Amino acid sequence: MTGPSTCGPPPEARLTTGGRTETIVEEVPEPDRPPLLAAYREAYGSMPTVTGVLDALPEAADYPVFRICS
C-alpha cells in the first residue's frame, strides 16, 4: 500500500486568520508511528472497528498519522 507521504510533499493543514498563516497539523514520520498506534489500540482497541482495521493493516506505514501543532 502506498502512503500519502510517497505521493509528493507531506500533507499538512494550515489555518489563515487575520493575515497570519500557521501549520496546524503535520504528518508523523513512519518510524515514529508504531508507539502512537499502540497507544491508540490500547485506548480504543475494545471497539470492534478499531481492532478490525488495525489487524487488517498491521504495518504502521499503512496509516496516515498526524500531529497537532499549536
Side-chain angles (χ1 to χ4, degrees):
M1 176 173 262
T2 301
S5 61
T6 61
C7 299
E12 59 182 37
R14 295 176 188 216
L15 176 65
T16 301
T17 255
R20 191 177 114 202
T21 300
E22 65 181 290
T23 300
I24 57 171
V25 298
E26 62 187 16
E27 187 172 19
V28 173
E30 288 179 24
D32 298 340
R33 294 177 190 176
L36 298 173
L37 291 168
Y40 183 76
R41 181 187 286 271
E42 184 176 324
Y44 302 104
S46 63
M47 298 177 172
T49 54
V50 171
T51 300
V53 169
L54 292 176
D55 288 345
L57 300 171
E59 297 297 320
D62 293 335
Y63 298 94
V65 179
F66 296 90
R67 177 179 296 115
I68 297 172
C69 307
S70 57

